[in-house]
Amino acid sequence: MPTNGNVNRLQGQVAIVTGSSSGIGKAVAQAMAAEGASVVVNHSGRSAEAAEQVVASIKAAGGNAIVIPADVSNEDEVKKIFAETIKSYGTVDILVNNAGLQKDAAFVDMTLEQWKTVLDINLTGQFLCAREAAREFLRRGIVPAKSKAAGKIICMSSVHEVIPWAGHCNYAASKGGVMLLMKSMAQELAPHKIRVNSIGPGAIKTPINRSAWETPEAERKLLTLIPYGRVGEPSDIGLAAVWLASDESDYVTGTTLFVDGGMTLYPGFATGG
Ligand code: NAD
């Protein structure tokens, strides 16, 4: 669990974290619960046991959480996440659009199915969840005792919203899409006091990229891309997400916060170009 001093920055708020049975989403769910939020732990439907363990860890730390399985690329299932959340907790204050995956292939070998699966989950899934969240935020409006904003949406993007990635065209296209989806939503929703931002993680140790950090050789190679000299931990993202969801970032909207140890500083240019 991240140590964040437990200052209850999200007290009384309800957070849906998509894809929070594992990796970054799990750390975000735990960090938000540690700050007083009631958390919905979502997974695709295939990770029930892992999701229950996340809920158990939150409850053991004195927090509040439930599991709602749903495929974020399915409109009816997304509506179900929100309906069940509102039934259990009354409303939604924070959405973390985190669910995502990779289906890697050389460009010329990439199948339409690999392309569509990644775009459907990583981009359309974020649209569907954000739309339902914004509808609920607009319906409810600001509750001053909880937050200065009517609602907060945090999109899990990637350094690959700006760094091209050979062998991962579908993934890079999905994250590039998330960048302008996020900014366009932020522009449209700001007058309604809804804040929309992204986090752009660099390399974080999770199952999605295990082969990139699992062995000492792989980790050494990865570190050549990270000026700060360490691979990221899921809690690095959890703590950033708490800040973006809290009133400490009340004047921040339409921004990607890169949490990447400097990966977007293009370290290959450090010794010339
Ligand atoms: P992970 O594989 O550990 O977790 C992915 C989560 O998404 C799981 O909980 C899984 O159940 C869920 N998921 C997958 N498909 C889903 C669906 N259709 N509906 C609902 N949930 C679904 O991966 P992670 O590294 O924790 O990735 C989380 C997010 O962070 C992704 O959006 C990923 O692109 C992004 N990201 C990760 C890294 C990294 O280095 N790990 C870097 C940049 C961005």
Side-chain angles (χ1 to χ4, degrees), residues 5-25:
N6 293 340
V7 288
N8 288 332
R9 284 174 288 176
L10 306 179
Q11 191 62 44
Q13 299 190 51
V14 178
I16 295 174
V17 186
T18 66
S20 46
S21 60
S22 168
I24 288 173

Side-chain angles (χ1 to χ4, degrees), residues 1-4 6 9-10 24-37 39 58 234-235 237-243:
M1 296 278 285
T3 52
N4 49 16
N6 293 340
R9 284 174 288 176
L10 306 179
I24 288 173
K26 173 181 171 178
V28 170
Q30 291 172 329
M32 289 195 168
E35 290 281 348
V39 175
I58 288 172
S235 59
I237 307 301
L239 297 173
V242 164
W243 182 75

Side-chain angles (χ1 to χ4, degrees), residues 84 104 147 179 194 196-197 201 207 226 241 249 256-257 259-260 271:
E84 287 187 13
D104 306 333
S147 177
M179 176 179 65
I194 295 169
V196 189
N197 292 288
I226 308 172
S249 61
T256 297
L257 174 59
V259 182
D260 67 352
T271 51

Side-chain angles (χ1 to χ4, degrees), residues 149-215:
K152 283 86 56 161
I153 296 171
I154 298 167
C155 300
M156 204 54 70
S157 185
S158 166
V159 291
H160 296 296
E161 73 170 42
V162 291
I163 301 179
W165 205 15
H168 310 261
C169 284
N170 48 1
Y171 185 83
S174 74
K175 298 301 186 181
V178 164
M179 176 179 65
L180 277 177
L181 170 64
M182 177 277 286
K183 286 178 188 274
S184 302
M185 290 192 296
Q187 193 185 59
E188 189 166 337
L189 297 172
H192 302 284
K193 294 284 178 284
I194 295 169
R195 295 193 296 113
V196 189
N197 292 288
S198 287
I199 295 175
I204 309 296
K205 286 186 179 175
T206 76
I208 208 175
N209 59 357
R210 189 180 295 283
S211 61
W213 50 264
E214 195 165 46
T215 64

Side-chain angles (χ1 to χ4, degrees), residues 213-254:
W213 50 264
E214 195 165 46
T215 64
E217 306 90 271
E219 184 160 351
R220 250 195 317 276
K221 192 165 159 233
L222 183 58
L223 286 175
T224 64
L225 300 174
I226 308 172
Y228 202 60
R230 72 170 172 88
V231 181
E233 298 293 336
S235 59
D236 290 316
I237 307 301
L239 297 173
V242 164
W243 182 75
L244 275 179
S246 78
D247 279 357
E248 289 176 3
S249 61
D250 187 56
Y251 207 47
V252 180
T253 194

Side-chain angles (χ1 to χ4, degrees), residues 5 39 73 81 86 96 98 142 144 148-149 170 193 197 210 267 272:
V39 175
S73 66
I81 306 179
I86 291 166
V96 185
N98 169 77
I142 298 172
K148 292 176 182 165
N170 48 1
K193 294 284 178 284
N197 292 288
R210 189 180 295 283

